Amino acid sequence: MSTFTGTARLARLAVRRDRVRLGIWVLGTPLIGYAIAESVAGLYPDEQTRLGYAETAITSVVARAFNGPIAGADVGAVVVTESYLTLALLAALLSTFAVTRHTRQNEETGRAELLGAAPVGRYALLTAALVVVVGANVLAAGLLALALVGTGLPVAGSVAAAAAVGGVGVAFTGVAAVTAQLTVTSRGANALAAATVGVAFLLRAAGDVLGERGADGTHLDSAWPAWLSPLGWGTQIRAFGAERWWVLALPTALLVAGIAVAYLLAERRDVGAGLLAARRGPARAAAGLLSPAGLTWRLHRAALAGWAVAVAVLGLAMGVAGHEVDAMIAENPQAAEMIAQLGGGAELVDAYLAAMLGLFALTIGAYVVQALLRTRSDESDGILEALLATAVSRTRWLGTQVLGAVLGASVLVLLAGVTTGLGYGLAAGDPVGWAVELAGAALLRLPALLVVAGVVTVLFGALPRWSVALSWTTLIAFLLLGQLGPVLDLPPAALDLSPYTHVPSVPAADPAALPLLILTAVAVVLLALGLTTFRHRDTPR
């Protein structure tokens, strides 16, 4: 029997298990790219506005750090600058999560051991996961290229831009293949892979911040740290500029190296074990673990701490960037109109700050979904069944999970407002005043997050098998409606489907109590419905 026996069947099984997730990934990538390309074409219709954008992208340190280098003043170059980082990070994270789910998680749950009793080769499980994830990246990149061409962009630049995004996903597929061999748990493997993505982002940002203006004055040449990052390789392809196709060899090489190392490590460990020894816990459990609330805090504190650090860093950066808003778009009235639409006000700086707080609220919605979907993981892994065999009721257990997610989201939105206010206030001369004002403005976004929590709770209670896919799909829909709806002039009925649409854009607009009360009431109804449906359904093993 070959070490790869059964790979094809395991690949089909992986596709069947992830058909919804893969469908959202493969179809969502080109849809996001198409929407951004269409909006950019309307915002920067002539060469003068694009030259102004290119000048801002080159001279602004914040723009360099968060958007990366610009390859020129063409429409396509602006589209890549606006969309690359979002699409590349999604490809990186989705790739690492998918590889871990079909390798380390299968070992953690015991499925790999059962499969090993059949005529399945030692490398088959890992190889099947790699085939599926690499195939998803290639297919998503191909559809993205077609979507960009469909907006009227040149074929060569569209293919290069799509290949840059797909290359990032392929590179981190190799990284995840290695991290899956190191830890005992899928959570640990995902954490290592996510940390690698964070380091890659920092290296790319450092290389772009230290870069220099190109000879033609409309593009940025990155410094050497960007070449150490898979995220930086995508920008070095220079889509819609002087394309450098040879750069695509770098993510391919990292994939091949990652696969080789993963196979080598797999030979040196037992099934279910990791090369990094699991840290032993204390001999006695803390008293707080005797209650559902204490257990919830213990399970979520690491994720909450990571989110808090990321939110604080981004909040300070976005706040400092607010002081540059007037200068950044002085020659671009279209960009000013877009910020006013997103922020909901005429005062440009206030509209910018409101838009940033809105972005934070959308992002923190991902934390709410992530935290609440742990309930589904506990149920499918059999942990919930053991918990419910004790004196803990269903309502108390799920209510504690919801309360933990909501409190965590409250901490994060408050931290986002405080750090954004501090960043802007340090540049404007009143850090305390702005921190207090934006903290209050950020907390007004909490009712929308309560609605997100209510939707996830209802899906978990009523449709547990579909709750993961539907929850993330709903959040992505809210993201697209909230950020691209105003730019694409979608009808009000479509925009009203997102709870974020009804949140007052403070500080750009006056706070209104009625929409917040309605959102809170909707959230309460959804949460009550979710608790009721969960209490009356079976809990499968």
Side-chain angles (χ1 to χ4, degrees):
M1 183 178 68
S2 168
T3 54
F4 296 99
T5 299
T7 298
R9 290 187 176 183
L10 289 175
R12 289 197 296 270
L13 176 61
V15 171
R16 180 177 176 80
R17 282 184 60 198
D18 273 9
R19 59 188 182 276
V20 176
R21 292 188 181 96
L22 291 175
I24 295 172
W25 176 4
V26 170
L27 297 178
T29 297
L31 287 175
I32 294 174
Y34 182 87
I36 293 176
E38 284 289 330
S39 64
V40 166
L43 289 170
Y44 305 96
D46 52 55
E47 185 177 5
Q48 182 180 358
T49 57
R50 293 194 296 271
L51 286 173
Y53 178 91
E55 181 65 22
T56 299
I58 293 173
T59 57
S60 172
V61 174
V62 175
R64 290 190 193 189
F66 286 96
N67 288 340
I70 189 167
D74 295 335
V75 174
V78 177
V79 169
V80 171
T81 305
E82 286 291 307
S83 64
Y84 168 75
L85 188 59
T86 299
L87 295 176
L89 286 174
L90 284 175
L93 293 174
L94 291 173
S95 297
T96 57
F97 294 160
V99 172
T100 301
R101 185 164 55 253
H102 293 293
T103 54
R104 174 53 61 183
Q105 188 183 80
N106 280 340
E107 296 186 41
E108 187 180 9
T109 57
R111 285 192 289 263
E113 190 172 5
L114 290 175
L115 290 171
V120 173
R122 185 172 183 83
Y123 298 151
L125 194 64
L126 174 59
T127 305
L130 294 173
V131 168
V132 170
V133 177
V134 170
N137 277 294
V138 172
L139 183 56
L143 294 177
L144 176 60
L146 292 176
L148 294 178
V149 171
T151 64
L153 296 176
V155 174
S158 299
V159 173
V165 174
V168 171
V170 166
F172 281 101
T173 299
V175 171
V178 175
T179 60
Q181 312 304 316
L182 299 179
T183 67
V184 178
T185 64
S186 58
R187 190 177 303 277
N190 281 330
L192 285 177
T196 306
V197 175
V199 171
F201 176 86
L202 293 176
L203 286 172
R204 182 214 57 80
D208 294 335
V209 168
L210 297 174
E212 297 180 354
R213 185 190 293 266
D216 62 358
T218 61
H219 77 274
L220 181 72
D221 291 326
S222 302
W224 63 267
W227 288 96
L228 302 177
S229 166
L231 289 172
W233 297 340
T235 61
Q236 301 313 311
I237 294 176
R238 290 186 179 175
F240 300 103
E243 285 91 357
R244 297 189 287 197
W245 299 99
W246 62 268
V247 178
L248 291 173
L250 296 178
T252 304
L254 182 57
L255 173 65
V256 172
I259 293 174
V261 172
Y263 284 158
L264 185 64
L265 297 178
E267 281 285 351
R268 285 161 170 75
R269 67 176 182 86
D270 294 331
V271 175
L275 293 175
L276 299 178
R279 183 171 61 89
R280 289 182 177 273
R284 293 180 178 273
L289 294 179
L290 296 176
S291 67
L295 179 60
T296 299
W297 163 246
R298 178 66 173 267
L299 294 175
H300 290 280
R301 64 184 183 182
L304 181 60
W307 274 87
V309 172
V311 166
V313 172
L314 290 175
L316 285 171
M318 295 302 181
V320 172
H323 200 61
E324 302 179 5
V325 168
D326 288 325
M328 286 172 62
I329 59 175
E331 299 179 359
N332 193 342
Q334 291 85 0
E337 181 181 355
M338 180 189 69
I339 291 179
Q341 286 178 333
L342 294 177
E347 291 292 334
L348 201 52
V349 172
D350 288 345
Y352 168 82
L353 294 174
M356 292 305 101
L357 293 180
L359 282 173
F360 274 118
L362 281 167
T363 306
I364 294 168
Y367 168 80
V368 174
V369 174
Q370 179 189 46
L372 285 178
L373 285 182
R374 188 183 179 98
T375 56
R376 176 57 185 163
S377 176
D378 288 346
E379 182 179 27
S380 60
D381 293 343
I383 298 174
L384 176 58
E385 189 175 13
L387 286 172
L388 295 181
T390 66
V392 178
S393 67
R394 289 176 173 234
T395 304
R396 183 185 177 192
W397 175 78
L398 183 55
T400 302
Q401 300 289 329
V402 172
L403 180 61
V406 170
L407 290 178
S410 303
V411 171
L412 292 177
V413 293
L414 180 61
L415 184 62
V418 170
T419 53
T420 303
L422 284 175
Y424 181 73
L426 289 172
D430 184 16
V432 176
W434 277 103
V436 172
E437 180 175 351
L438 293 189
L443 287 176
L444 295 178
R445 272 74 181 174
L446 192 57
L449 293 171
L450 291 176
V451 173
V452 174
V455 170
V456 178
T457 305
V458 168
L459 292 173
F460 171 70
L463 301 169
R465 291 185 59 187
W466 295 91
S467 59
V468 176
L470 291 178
S471 296
W472 287 113
T473 302
T474 302
L475 184 65
I476 292 173
F478 290 163
L479 171 64
L480 295 177
L481 289 173
Q483 296 310 115
L484 299 178
V487 177
L488 298 177
D489 292 327
L490 294 180
L495 298 179
D496 288 342
L497 295 175
S498 171
Y500 296 97
T501 302
H502 306 283
V503 176
S505 297
V506 181
D510 294 331
L514 183 59
L516 299 178
L517 292 175
I518 293 175
L519 286 176
T520 304
V522 170
V524 170
V525 171
L526 290 173
L527 291 171
L529 180 61
L531 290 170
T532 302
T533 53
F534 174 67
R535 190 161 58 88
H536 288 91
R537 71 169 174 83
D538 291 334
T539 304
R541 294 183 179 181

